[in-house]
Amino acid sequence: SNTFIDSHYYHVFAEHERKLSPKQHIAYTCSKLARETASCCYEDPSHNTKVSRGVSRIIGEWSAAFDTLPVELLNDIMENVRTNGEALMMDRFFSKARQDFLKQ
């Protein structure tokens, strides 16, 4: 079978991950997350010696963040939408009708 589990690793939600340097992000991913990635697809999960013939895993997305908390950024974006009708860094402008709807 050609079945894959598509996994996404995000380093933006925990403070200790946001403080990592680019080199530290790579080391963290290769050491900690590589084991997690490899451990998913075995037919004998308690031993992990018989590799699954039906399921494999790929990393479809990986994101490193540097001192940015998504919630804080989202709050800034939404405040600007509310006050100016523009979504910063998203190249979007909201019509007056859309702004009024979002304020409800």
Side-chain angles (χ1 to χ4, degrees):
S1 173
N2 292 325
T3 303
F4 291 88
I5 297 172
D6 179 16
S7 299
H8 298 194
Y9 295 133
Y10 300 105
H11 296 178
V12 298
F13 299 108
E15 186 175 341
H16 74 278
E17 292 174 345
R18 289 194 312 275
K19 291 181 177 180
L20 299 174
S21 70
K23 193 172 191 174
Q24 290 170 323
H25 274 287
I26 293 167
Y28 176 78
T29 300
C30 291
S31 66
K32 183 175 190 292
L33 299 177
R35 285 190 301 272
E36 179 184 322
T37 300
S39 71
C40 88
C41 307
Y42 290 91
E43 292 184 13
D44 60 342
S46 61
H47 303 288
N48 290 353
T49 58
K50 187 176 180 184
V51 177
S52 172
R53 290 176 284 141
V55 178
S56 296
R57 187 176 207 171
I58 60 171
I59 306 303
E61 191 171 331
W62 177 71
S63 175
F66 302 100
D67 201 26
T68 301
L69 182 59
V71 172
E72 292 169 3
L73 183 57
L74 180 60
N75 289 339
D76 291 344
I77 291 170
M78 293 309 292
E79 177 62 21
N80 202 59
V81 167
R82 187 183 68 75
T83 58
N84 302 317
E86 183 180 358
L88 297 174
M89 298 176 285
M90 295 182 162
D91 220 12
R92 282 187 75 184
F93 182 80
F94 294 91
S95 68
K96 178 75 171 122
R98 182 71 176 159
Q99 289 177 51
D100 291 342
F101 172 78
L102 291 171
K103 289 178 184 178
Q104 295 180 19

